[in-house]
Amino acid sequence: MGDARRAVPSDADELVRLRGLMLAGMSGVPTPPGRWQDVARDNLRTWLAEPDPWLAAFVVGTPGGASLAACAVGTVERRLGGPGDPSGLVGYVFNVSTDRRTGGAATAEPA
């Protein structure tokens, strides 16, 4: 497997594919294709290109580089700070998936 790197908009297709694997692993049934994939793909392309991103994805490519072996996706939310956290920044990881066929350790692991 390759090194981890920050995802770019051109990774959207593979991020959606890996999300489908994660959802299937969580439910125990294959994730049906549908409009959700197009919407997710379009959103990822837009969100990953934002100059001040609130969403981040990190990916690991396969040895040949043709697909992704794993990903983690999360958001950063801005809240009012407090004594224990003056910045108010909070992170939430909601999508972690590996593709066993590409050498990943598991089919899908929810965060």
Coordinates of all heavy atoms in Angstrom, one line a residue:
M1 N 0.8 -1.2 0.0 CA 0.0 0.0 0.0 C 0.9 1.2 0.0 O 2.0 1.2 0.5 CB -0.9 0.0 1.2 CG -2.3 -0.3 0.9 SD -3.4 0.0 2.3 CE -3.5 -1.6 2.9
G2 N 0.3 2.3 -0.5 CA 1.1 3.6 -0.6 C 1.0 4.4 0.7 O 0.4 3.9 1.7
D3 N 1.5 5.6 0.7 CA 1.5 6.5 1.8 C 0.1 7.2 1.9 O -0.5 7.4 0.8 CB 2.6 7.5 1.7 CG 4.0 6.9 1.8 OD1 4.1 5.8 2.6 OD2 4.9 7.4 1.3
A4 N -0.3 7.6 3.0 CA -1.5 8.4 3.2 C -1.2 9.8 2.7 O -0.1 10.4 2.8 CB -1.9 8.5 4.7
R5 N -2.2 10.4 2.1 CA -2.2 11.8 1.6 C -3.6 12.4 1.7 O -4.6 11.7 1.9 CB -1.7 11.8 0.1 CG -2.7 11.1 -0.8 CD -2.3 11.3 -2.3 NE -3.1 10.6 -3.2 CZ -4.3 10.9 -3.6 NH1 -4.9 12.0 -3.1 NH2 -5.1 10.1 -4.4
R6 N -3.6 13.7 1.6 CA -4.9 14.4 1.7 C -5.6 14.2 0.3 O -5.0 14.3 -0.7 CB -4.6 15.9 1.9 CG -5.9 16.6 2.2 CD -5.7 17.9 3.0 NE -7.0 18.4 3.4 CZ -7.1 19.3 4.3 NH1 -6.1 19.7 5.0 NH2 -8.3 19.7 4.6
A7 N -6.9 14.0 0.4 CA -7.6 13.7 -0.8 C -7.8 15.0 -1.6 O -7.8 16.1 -1.0 CB -9.0 13.1 -0.5
V8 N -7.9 14.9 -2.9 CA -8.2 16.0 -3.8 C -9.5 15.7 -4.6 O -10.0 14.6 -4.5 CB -7.0 16.2 -4.8 CG1 -5.8 16.6 -4.1 CG2 -6.8 14.9 -5.6
P9 N -10.1 16.7 -5.2 CA -11.4 16.5 -5.9 C -11.4 15.4 -6.9 O -12.4 14.7 -7.0 CB -11.6 17.9 -6.6 CG -10.9 18.9 -5.7 CD -9.7 18.2 -5.3
S10 N -10.3 15.1 -7.5 CA -10.3 13.9 -8.4 C -10.4 12.6 -7.8 O -10.6 11.6 -8.4 CB -9.0 14.0 -9.3 OG -7.9 13.9 -8.5
D11 N -10.3 12.5 -6.4 CA -10.5 11.3 -5.7 C -12.0 11.0 -5.4 O -12.3 10.0 -4.8 CB -9.8 11.4 -4.3 CG -8.3 11.4 -4.5 OD1 -7.8 10.6 -5.3 OD2 -7.6 12.1 -3.8
A12 N -12.9 11.9 -5.8 CA -14.3 11.8 -5.4 C -14.9 10.4 -5.8 O -15.6 9.8 -5.0 CB -15.1 12.9 -6.0
D13 N -14.6 9.9 -7.0 CA -15.2 8.6 -7.5 C -14.8 7.5 -6.5 O -15.7 6.7 -6.1 CB -14.8 8.3 -8.9 CG -15.4 9.1 -10.0 OD1 -16.5 9.6 -9.7 OD2 -14.8 9.3 -11.0
E14 N -13.6 7.5 -6.2 CA -13.1 6.4 -5.3 C -13.6 6.6 -3.9 O -13.8 5.6 -3.2 CB -11.5 6.4 -5.3 CG -11.0 5.6 -6.5 CD -11.3 4.2 -6.5 OE1 -10.7 3.4 -5.7 OE2 -12.2 3.7 -7.3
L15 N -13.7 7.8 -3.4 CA -14.2 8.0 -2.1 C -15.7 7.6 -2.0 O -16.1 7.0 -1.0 CB -14.1 9.5 -1.7 CG -12.7 10.0 -1.4 CD1 -12.7 11.5 -1.3 CD2 -12.2 9.4 -0.1
V16 N -16.4 7.8 -3.0 CA -17.8 7.3 -3.0 C -17.8 5.8 -3.1 O -18.6 5.1 -2.4 CB -18.6 7.9 -4.2 CG1 -20.0 7.3 -4.4 CG2 -18.7 9.4 -4.0
R17 N -17.0 5.2 -3.9 CA -16.9 3.7 -3.9 C -16.6 3.1 -2.5 O -17.2 2.2 -2.1 CB -15.8 3.3 -4.9 CG -15.7 1.7 -5.1 CD -14.6 1.3 -6.0 NE -13.3 1.6 -5.5 CZ -12.6 0.8 -4.6 NH1 -13.2 -0.3 -4.1 NH2 -11.4 1.2 -4.1
L18 N -15.6 3.7 -1.9 CA -15.2 3.2 -0.5 C -16.3 3.5 0.5 O -16.5 2.7 1.4 CB -13.9 3.9 -0.1 CG -12.6 3.4 -0.8 CD1 -11.5 4.3 -0.4 CD2 -12.3 2.0 -0.4
R19 N -17.1 4.6 0.3 CA -18.2 4.8 1.2 C -19.3 3.7 1.0 O -19.8 3.2 2.0 CB -18.8 6.2 1.0 CG -20.0 6.4 1.9 CD -20.3 7.9 2.0 NE -21.5 8.2 2.8 CZ -21.6 8.1 4.2 NH1 -20.4 7.9 4.9 NH2 -22.7 8.4 4.8
G20 N -19.5 3.3 -0.2 CA -20.4 2.2 -0.5 C -20.0 0.9 0.2 O -20.8 0.2 0.8
L21 N -18.6 0.6 0.2 CA -18.1 -0.5 0.9 C -18.4 -0.4 2.4 O -18.7 -1.4 3.1 CB -16.6 -0.7 0.6 CG -16.2 -1.1 -0.8 CD1 -14.7 -1.2 -0.9 CD2 -16.9 -2.5 -1.2
M22 N -18.1 0.7 3.0 CA -18.3 0.9 4.4 C -19.8 0.7 4.8 O -20.1 0.0 5.7 CB -17.9 2.3 4.8 CG -18.1 2.6 6.3 SD -18.0 4.3 6.8 CE -19.5 5.0 6.2
L23 N -20.7 1.3 4.0 CA -22.1 1.2 4.3 C -22.6 -0.3 4.2 O -23.3 -0.8 5.0 CB -22.9 2.0 3.3 CG -22.7 3.6 3.5 CD1 -23.4 4.3 2.4 CD2 -23.2 4.0 4.9
A24 N -22.0 -1.0 3.2 CA -22.3 -2.4 3.0 C -21.8 -3.2 4.2 O -22.5 -4.2 4.7 CB -21.8 -3.0 1.7
G25 N -20.6 -2.9 4.6 CA -20.0 -3.6 5.8 C -20.8 -3.4 7.1 O -20.9 -4.3 7.9
M26 N -21.4 -2.2 7.2 CA -22.2 -1.9 8.4 C -23.6 -2.6 8.4 O -24.1 -3.0 9.4 CB -22.3 -0.4 8.5 CG -21.0 0.3 8.9 SD -21.1 2.1 8.8 CE -22.4 2.6 9.8
S27 N -24.2 -2.6 7.2 CA -25.5 -3.2 7.1 C -25.5 -4.7 6.8 O -26.5 -5.3 7.0 CB -26.3 -2.5 6.0 OG -25.8 -2.8 4.7
G28 N -24.4 -5.2 6.2 CA -24.4 -6.6 5.9 C -25.0 -7.0 4.6 O -25.1 -8.1 4.2
V29 N -25.4 -6.0 3.8 CA -25.9 -6.2 2.5 C -25.3 -5.2 1.5 O -24.9 -4.1 1.9 CB -27.5 -6.0 2.4 CG1 -28.2 -7.1 3.3 CG2 -27.9 -4.6 2.8
P30 N -25.2 -5.6 0.2 CA -24.5 -4.6 -0.7 C -25.3 -3.3 -0.8 O -26.5 -3.3 -0.7 CB -24.7 -5.4 -2.1 CG -24.8 -6.8 -1.7 CD -25.5 -6.9 -0.4
T31 N -24.5 -2.2 -0.9 CA -25.1 -0.9 -1.0 C -25.7 -0.7 -2.4 O -24.9 -0.8 -3.4 CB -24.1 0.2 -0.7 OG1 -23.6 -0.1 0.6 CG2 -24.7 1.6 -0.7
P32 N -26.9 -0.4 -2.6 CA -27.5 -0.3 -3.9 C -27.0 1.0 -4.6 O -26.8 2.0 -3.9 CB -29.0 -0.2 -3.7 CG -29.2 0.3 -2.3 CD -28.0 -0.3 -1.6
P33 N -26.7 0.9 -5.9 CA -26.3 2.2 -6.6 C -27.5 3.1 -6.7 O -28.7 2.6 -6.5 CB -25.9 1.7 -8.0 CG -26.6 0.4 -8.1 CD -26.7 -0.2 -6.8
G34 N -27.2 4.4 -6.9 CA -28.4 5.3 -7.0 C -27.9 6.7 -7.0 O -26.7 7.0 -7.1
R35 N -28.9 7.6 -6.9 CA -28.6 9.0 -7.0 C -27.7 9.5 -5.9 O -26.9 10.5 -6.0 CB -29.9 9.8 -6.9 CG -29.8 11.3 -7.1 CD -31.2 12.0 -7.2 NE -31.0 13.4 -7.4 CZ -30.8 14.3 -6.4 NH1 -30.8 13.8 -5.1 NH2 -30.6 15.6 -6.6
W36 N -27.7 8.8 -4.8 CA -26.8 9.2 -3.6 C -25.4 9.3 -4.1 O -24.6 10.1 -3.6 CB -27.0 8.2 -2.5 CG -26.4 6.9 -2.6 CD1 -26.9 5.8 -3.2 CD2 -25.0 6.5 -2.3 NE1 -26.0 4.7 -3.2 CE2 -24.8 5.2 -2.6 CE3 -23.9 7.2 -1.7 CZ2 -23.6 4.5 -2.4 CZ3 -22.8 6.5 -1.5 CH2 -22.6 5.2 -1.9
Q37 N -25.0 8.4 -5.0 CA -23.6 8.4 -5.5 C -23.2 9.7 -6.2 O -22.2 10.2 -6.1 CB -23.3 7.1 -6.3 CG -23.4 5.9 -5.5 CD -23.5 4.6 -6.4 OE1 -24.3 4.6 -7.3 NE2 -22.6 3.7 -6.1
D38 N -24.1 10.1 -7.1 CA -23.9 11.3 -7.9 C -23.9 12.5 -7.0 O -23.0 13.4 -7.2 CB -25.0 11.4 -9.0 CG -25.0 10.3 -10.0 OD1 -23.9 9.8 -10.3 OD2 -26.1 10.0 -10.5
V39 N -24.8 12.6 -6.1 CA -24.8 13.7 -5.2 C -23.6 13.8 -4.3 O -22.9 14.8 -4.1 CB -26.1 13.7 -4.3 CG1 -26.0 14.8 -3.2 CG2 -27.3 13.8 -5.2
A40 N -23.2 12.6 -3.8 CA -22.0 12.5 -2.9 C -20.7 12.9 -3.7 O -19.9 13.7 -3.2 CB -21.8 11.1 -2.3
R41 N -20.6 12.4 -4.9 CA -19.5 12.7 -5.8 C -19.4 14.2 -6.1 O -18.3 14.8 -6.0 CB -19.6 11.9 -7.1 CG -18.4 11.9 -8.0 CD -18.6 11.0 -9.2 NE -18.9 9.6 -8.8 CZ -20.1 9.0 -9.0 NH1 -21.1 9.6 -9.5 NH2 -20.2 7.7 -8.6
D42 N -20.5 14.8 -6.5 CA -20.5 16.2 -6.8 C -20.2 17.0 -5.5 O -19.4 18.0 -5.6 CB -21.9 16.7 -7.3 CG -22.2 16.1 -8.7 OD1 -21.2 15.7 -9.4 OD2 -23.4 16.2 -9.1
N43 N -20.7 16.7 -4.4 CA -20.4 17.4 -3.1 C -19.0 17.3 -2.8 O -18.3 18.3 -2.4 CB -21.3 16.8 -2.0 CG -22.7 17.3 -2.0 OD1 -23.0 18.3 -2.7 ND2 -23.6 16.6 -1.4
L44 N -18.4 16.1 -2.9 CA -17.0 15.9 -2.6 C -16.1 16.7 -3.5 O -15.1 17.3 -3.1 CB -16.6 14.4 -2.7 CG -17.0 13.6 -1.5 CD1 -16.9 12.1 -1.9 CD2 -16.1 13.9 -0.3
R45 N -16.4 16.7 -4.8 CA -15.6 17.6 -5.7 C -15.6 19.0 -5.3 O -14.6 19.7 -5.4 CB -16.1 17.4 -7.2 CG -15.8 16.0 -7.7 CD -16.2 15.9 -9.2 NE -15.9 14.6 -9.7 CZ -16.7 13.8 -10.4 NH1 -17.9 14.3 -10.7 NH2 -16.4 12.6 -10.8
T46 N -16.8 19.5 -4.9 CA -16.9 20.9 -4.5 C -16.2 21.1 -3.2 O -15.4 22.0 -3.0 CB -18.4 21.3 -4.4 OG1 -19.0 21.2 -5.7 CG2 -18.5 22.7 -3.9
W47 N -16.5 20.3 -2.2 CA -16.0 20.5 -0.8 C -14.5 20.3 -0.7 O -13.9 21.1 0.0 CB -16.7 19.6 0.2 CG -18.2 19.8 0.3 CD1 -18.9 21.0 -0.1 CD2 -19.2 18.9 0.7 NE1 -20.2 20.8 0.2 CE2 -20.4 19.5 0.7 CE3 -19.1 17.6 1.2 CZ2 -21.6 18.9 1.1 CZ3 -20.3 17.0 1.6 CH2 -21.5 17.6 1.5
L48 N -14.0 19.4 -1.4 CA -12.5 19.2 -1.4 C -11.7 20.3 -2.1 O -10.5 20.4 -1.8 CB -12.1 17.8 -2.0 CG -12.6 16.6 -1.1 CD1 -12.4 15.3 -1.9 CD2 -11.9 16.6 0.2
A49 N -12.4 21.1 -2.9 CA -11.7 22.2 -3.6 C -11.8 23.5 -2.9 O -11.2 24.5 -3.3 CB -12.3 22.3 -5.0
E50 N -12.6 23.6 -1.8 CA -12.8 24.8 -1.1 C -11.4 25.3 -0.5 O -10.7 24.6 0.1 CB -13.8 24.7 0.0 CG -15.2 24.5 -0.5 CD -16.3 24.4 0.5 OE1 -15.9 24.5 1.8 OE2 -17.4 24.3 0.2
P51 N -11.2 26.7 -0.6 CA -10.0 27.2 -0.1 C -9.9 27.2 1.4 O -8.8 27.2 1.9 CB -10.0 28.7 -0.7 CG -11.4 29.0 -1.0 CD -12.1 27.7 -1.3
D52 N -11.0 27.3 2.1 CA -11.0 27.2 3.6 C -11.8 26.0 3.9 O -13.0 26.1 4.3 CB -11.6 28.5 4.1 CG -11.5 28.5 5.7 OD1 -10.7 27.8 6.2 OD2 -12.3 29.3 6.2
P53 N -11.3 24.8 3.8 CA -12.1 23.6 3.9 C -12.6 23.3 5.3 O -11.9 23.5 6.3 CB -11.1 22.5 3.5 CG -9.8 23.0 3.8 CD -9.9 24.5 3.6
W54 N -13.8 22.8 5.4 CA -14.4 22.4 6.6 C -14.5 20.8 6.6 O -14.9 20.2 7.6 CB -15.8 23.0 6.8 CG -16.7 22.7 5.7 CD1 -16.8 23.5 4.5 CD2 -17.6 21.6 5.5 NE1 -17.7 22.9 3.7 CE2 -18.2 21.8 4.3 CE3 -17.9 20.5 6.3 CZ2 -19.1 20.8 3.8 CZ3 -18.9 19.6 5.9 CH2 -19.5 19.8 4.6
L55 N -14.3 20.2 5.5 CA -14.2 18.8 5.3 C -12.9 18.4 4.8 O -12.3 19.1 4.0 CB -15.3 18.4 4.3 CG -15.3 16.9 4.0 CD1 -16.8 16.4 4.0 CD2 -14.7 16.6 2.6
A56 N -12.4 17.3 5.4 CA -11.1 16.8 5.0 C -11.2 15.3 4.8 O -11.9 14.6 5.5 CB -10.0 17.1 6.0
A57 N -10.5 14.8 3.8 CA -10.4 13.3 3.6 C -8.9 13.0 3.4 O -8.2 13.7 2.7 CB -11.2 13.0 2.3
F58 N -8.6 11.8 3.9 CA -7.2 11.3 3.7 C -7.3 9.9 3.1 O -8.3 9.2 3.5 CB -6.5 11.3 5.1 CG -6.2 12.7 5.6 CD1 -7.1 13.3 6.3 CD2 -5.0 13.3 5.2 CE1 -6.9 14.6 6.8 CE2 -4.8 14.6 5.6 CZ -5.7 15.3 6.4
V59 N -6.5 9.6 2.2 CA -6.6 8.4 1.4 C -5.3 7.7 1.3 O -4.2 8.3 1.5 CB -7.1 8.7 -0.1 CG1 -8.5 9.3 0.0 CG2 -6.2 9.6 -0.8
V60 N -5.3 6.4 1.0 CA -4.1 5.6 0.8 C -4.4 4.9 -0.6 O -5.4 4.2 -0.7 CB -3.9 4.5 1.9 CG1 -2.7 3.6 1.5 CG2 -3.7 5.2 3.2
G61 N -3.5 5.1 -1.5 CA -3.6 4.5 -2.8 C -3.1 3.0 -2.9 O -2.4 2.6 -2.0
T62 N -3.5 2.3 -3.9 CA -3.0 1.0 -4.1 C -1.6 1.1 -4.8 O -1.2 2.1 -5.3 CB -4.0 0.2 -5.1 OG1 -4.1 1.0 -6.3 CG2 -5.3 0.0 -4.5
P63 N -0.9 0.0 -4.7 CA 0.5 0.1 -5.3 C 0.5 0.5 -6.7 O 1.4 1.3 -7.1 CB 1.0 -1.4 -5.2 CG 0.2 -1.9 -4.0 CD -1.1 -1.3 -4.1
G64 N -0.4 0.2 -7.6 CA -0.4 0.6 -9.0 C -1.0 2.0 -9.1 O -0.9 2.6 -10.2
G65 N -1.7 2.5 -8.1 CA -2.2 3.9 -8.2 C -3.5 4.0 -8.9 O -4.0 5.0 -9.1
A66 N -4.1 2.8 -9.3 CA -5.3 2.9 -10.1 C -6.6 3.1 -9.3 O -7.6 3.5 -9.8 CB -5.5 1.6 -10.9
S67 N -6.5 2.8 -8.0 CA -7.6 3.0 -7.1 C -7.1 3.3 -5.7 O -5.9 3.3 -5.4 CB -8.5 1.7 -7.1 OG -7.8 0.6 -6.6
L68 N -8.1 3.5 -4.8 CA -7.7 3.8 -3.4 C -8.0 2.5 -2.6 O -8.9 1.8 -2.8 CB -8.6 4.9 -2.9 CG -8.4 6.3 -3.5 CD1 -9.3 7.3 -2.9 CD2 -6.9 6.7 -3.4
A69 N -7.1 2.3 -1.6 CA -7.2 1.2 -0.7 C -8.0 1.5 0.5 O -8.6 0.7 1.2 CB -5.8 0.6 -0.4
A70 N -7.9 2.8 1.0 CA -8.5 3.2 2.2 C -8.7 4.7 2.2 O -8.1 5.4 1.5 CB -7.6 2.8 3.4
C71 N -9.7 5.1 3.1 CA -9.9 6.5 3.3 C -10.5 6.8 4.7 O -11.0 5.9 5.4 CB -10.9 7.0 2.3 SG -12.6 6.5 2.5
A72 N -10.3 8.0 5.1 CA -11.0 8.5 6.3 C -11.5 9.9 6.0 O -10.7 10.7 5.4 CB -10.0 8.6 7.5
V73 N -12.7 10.2 6.3 CA -13.3 11.5 6.0 C -13.9 12.1 7.2 O -14.5 11.4 8.0 CB -14.4 11.4 4.9 CG1 -15.0 12.7 4.5 CG2 -13.9 10.6 3.7
G74 N -13.7 13.4 7.4 CA -14.3 14.1 8.6 C -14.5 15.5 8.3 O -14.1 16.1 7.3
T75 N -15.1 16.2 9.3 CA -15.4 17.6 9.2 C -14.8 18.3 10.4 O -14.5 17.7 11.5 CB -16.9 17.8 9.2 OG1 -17.5 17.3 10.4 CG2 -17.6 17.2 8.0
V76 N -14.6 19.6 10.3 CA -14.3 20.5 11.3 C -15.4 21.5 11.5 O -15.9 22.1 10.6 CB -13.0 21.3 11.0 CG1 -12.7 22.3 12.1 CG2 -11.8 20.3 10.9
E77 N -15.9 21.5 12.7 CA -17.0 22.4 13.0 C -16.5 23.6 13.9 O -15.7 23.3 14.8 CB -18.1 21.7 13.8 CG -19.3 22.5 14.1 CD -20.4 21.6 14.7 OE1 -20.5 20.4 14.4 OE2 -21.2 22.2 15.5
R78 N -17.0 24.8 13.6 CA -16.6 25.9 14.4 C -17.7 26.2 15.4 O -18.8 26.5 15.0 CB -16.3 27.1 13.5 CG -15.1 26.9 12.6 CD -15.0 28.1 11.7 NE -13.8 28.0 10.9 CZ -13.8 27.8 9.6 NH1 -15.0 27.7 9.0 NH2 -12.7 27.6 8.9
R79 N -17.4 26.2 16.7 CA -18.3 26.5 17.8 C -17.7 27.6 18.6 O -16.6 28.0 18.5 CB -18.5 25.3 18.7 CG -19.1 24.1 17.9 CD -19.3 22.9 18.8 NE -19.7 21.7 18.1 CZ -19.9 20.5 18.7 NH1 -19.7 20.4 20.0 NH2 -20.3 19.5 18.0
L80 N -18.5 28.1 19.5 CA -18.0 29.1 20.4 C -17.0 28.4 21.4 O -17.3 27.3 21.8 CB -19.1 29.8 21.2 CG -20.0 30.7 20.4 CD1 -21.2 31.2 21.3 CD2 -19.2 31.9 19.9
G81 N -15.9 29.0 21.6 CA -14.9 28.5 22.5 C -15.3 28.6 24.0 O -16.3 29.2 24.3
G82 N -14.6 27.9 24.8 CA -14.8 27.9 26.2 C -13.5 27.8 27.0 O -12.4 27.8 26.3
P83 N -13.5 27.8 28.3 CA -12.2 27.7 29.0 C -11.4 26.5 28.7 O -10.1 26.7 28.6 CB -12.7 27.6 30.5 CG -14.1 28.1 30.5 CD -14.7 27.8 29.1
G84 N -11.9 25.4 28.4 CA -11.1 24.2 28.1 C -10.7 24.1 26.6 O -9.8 23.4 26.3
D85 N -11.4 24.9 25.8 CA -11.1 24.9 24.3 C -11.4 26.2 23.7 O -12.5 26.4 23.2 CB -11.9 23.8 23.6 CG -11.6 23.7 22.1 OD1 -10.6 24.4 21.7 OD2 -12.3 23.0 21.4
P86 N -10.5 27.2 23.9 CA -10.8 28.6 23.4 C -11.1 28.7 21.9 O -11.8 29.5 21.5 CB -9.5 29.4 23.8 CG -8.8 28.5 24.8 CD -9.2 27.1 24.5
S87 N -10.5 27.8 21.1 CA -10.7 27.9 19.7 C -12.1 27.5 19.2 O -12.6 28.0 18.2 CB -9.7 26.9 18.9 OG -10.1 25.6 19.1
G88 N -12.7 26.6 20.0 CA -14.1 26.1 19.6 C -14.1 25.2 18.4 O -15.2 24.8 18.0
L89 N -12.9 24.8 17.9 CA -12.9 23.9 16.8 C -13.1 22.4 17.3 O -12.5 22.0 18.2 CB -11.6 24.0 16.1 CG -11.3 25.3 15.4 CD1 -9.9 25.3 14.8 CD2 -12.3 25.6 14.4
V90 N -14.0 21.7 16.6 CA -14.3 20.3 16.9 C -14.3 19.5 15.7 O -14.8 19.9 14.6 CB -15.8 20.2 17.5 CG1 -16.1 18.8 17.8 CG2 -15.9 21.1 18.8
G91 N -13.6 18.4 15.7 CA -13.5 17.5 14.6 C -14.4 16.3 14.8 O -14.7 15.8 15.9
Y92 N -14.9 15.8 13.6 CA -15.8 14.6 13.7 C -15.4 13.7 12.5 O -15.6 14.1 11.3 CB -17.3 15.0 13.6 CG -18.2 13.8 13.6 CD1 -18.4 13.1 14.8 CD2 -18.9 13.5 12.5 CE1 -19.3 12.0 14.8 CE2 -19.8 12.4 12.5 CZ -20.0 11.7 13.6 OH -20.9 10.6 13.7
V93 N -15.0 12.5 12.7 CA -14.6 11.6 11.6 C -15.9 10.7 11.5 O -16.3 10.0 12.4 CB -13.4 10.7 12.0 CG1 -13.1 9.7 10.9 CG2 -12.2 11.6 12.2
F94 N -16.4 10.6 10.3 CA -17.6 9.8 10.0 C -17.5 8.8 9.0 O -18.5 8.1 8.7 CB -18.8 10.8 9.7 CG -18.6 11.6 8.5 CD1 -18.9 11.1 7.3 CD2 -18.0 12.9 8.6 CE1 -18.7 11.9 6.1 CE2 -17.8 13.7 7.5 CZ -18.2 13.2 6.3
N95 N -16.4 8.7 8.3 CA -16.3 7.7 7.2 C -14.9 7.2 7.2 O -14.0 7.9 6.8 CB -16.6 8.5 5.9 CG -16.9 7.6 4.7 OD1 -18.0 7.4 4.3 ND2 -15.8 7.1 4.1
V96 N -14.8 5.9 7.6 CA -13.5 5.2 7.5 C -13.7 3.9 6.8 O -14.6 3.1 7.2 CB -12.9 5.0 8.9 CG1 -11.6 4.2 8.8 CG2 -12.7 6.3 9.6
S97 N -13.0 3.7 5.7 CA -13.2 2.4 5.0 C -11.9 1.9 4.3 O -11.1 2.7 3.9 CB -14.2 2.7 3.9 OG -14.5 1.6 3.1
T98 N -11.8 0.6 4.3 CA -10.7 0.0 3.6 C -11.3 -1.0 2.6 O -12.3 -1.6 2.9 CB -9.7 -0.7 4.5 OG1 -10.3 -1.7 5.3 CG2 -9.0 0.3 5.5
D99 N -10.6 -1.3 1.6 CA -11.0 -2.2 0.6 C -10.1 -3.4 0.7 O -8.9 -3.4 0.3 CB -10.9 -1.6 -0.8 CG -11.4 -2.6 -1.9 OD1 -11.6 -3.8 -1.7 OD2 -11.6 -2.1 -3.0
R100 N -10.6 -4.5 1.2 CA -9.7 -5.7 1.4 C -9.1 -6.2 0.1 O -8.0 -6.8 0.1 CB -10.6 -6.8 2.1 CG -9.8 -8.0 2.4 CD -10.4 -9.1 3.2 NE -11.9 -9.2 3.1 CZ -12.6 -9.8 3.9 NH1 -12.1 -10.3 5.0 NH2 -13.9 -9.8 3.8
R101 N -9.8 -6.1 -1.0 CA -9.3 -6.6 -2.3 C -8.0 -5.8 -2.7 O -7.2 -6.3 -3.5 CB -10.3 -6.4 -3.4 CG -11.6 -7.2 -3.2 CD -12.6 -6.8 -4.2 NE -12.9 -5.4 -4.1 CZ -13.2 -4.6 -5.1 NH1 -13.3 -5.1 -6.3 NH2 -13.4 -3.3 -5.0
T102 N -7.8 -4.7 -2.1 CA -6.6 -3.9 -2.5 C -5.5 -4.0 -1.4 O -4.5 -3.2 -1.5 CB -6.9 -2.4 -2.7 OG1 -7.5 -1.9 -1.5 CG2 -7.9 -2.2 -3.8
G103 N -5.7 -4.9 -0.5 CA -4.7 -5.0 0.6 C -5.0 -4.4 1.9 O -4.2 -4.4 2.8
G104 N -6.2 -3.8 2.0 CA -6.7 -3.2 3.2 C -6.9 -4.3 4.2 O -7.1 -5.4 3.9
A105 N -6.9 -3.9 5.5 CA -7.0 -4.8 6.6 C -8.4 -5.3 6.9 O -8.6 -6.4 7.5 CB -6.5 -4.2 7.9
A106 N -9.4 -4.6 6.4 CA -10.8 -5.0 6.6 C -11.7 -4.5 5.5 O -11.3 -3.6 4.8 CB -11.3 -4.4 8.0
T107 N -12.9 -5.0 5.4 CA -13.7 -4.6 4.3 C -14.3 -3.2 4.6 O -14.4 -2.4 3.8 CB -14.9 -5.5 4.1 OG1 -15.6 -5.8 5.3 CG2 -14.4 -6.8 3.5
A108 N -14.6 -3.0 5.9 CA -15.1 -1.6 6.2 C -15.1 -1.5 7.7 O -15.5 -2.5 8.4 CB -16.5 -1.4 5.7
E109 N -14.7 -0.4 8.3 CA -14.7 -0.2 9.7 C -15.4 1.2 10.0 O -14.9 2.2 9.6 CB -13.3 -0.1 10.2 CG -12.6 -1.5 10.2 CD -13.2 -2.5 11.1 OE1 -13.7 -2.1 12.2 OE2 -13.2 -3.7 10.8
P110 N -16.6 1.2 10.6 CA -17.2 2.5 10.9 C -16.4 3.2 12.0 O -15.8 2.5 12.9 CB -18.6 2.1 11.3 CG -18.5 0.7 11.8 CD -17.4 0.1 10.9
A111 N -16.4 4.5 11.9 CA -15.7 5.2 13.0 C -16.6 5.5 14.1 O -17.8 5.5 14.0 CB -15.2 6.6 12.4

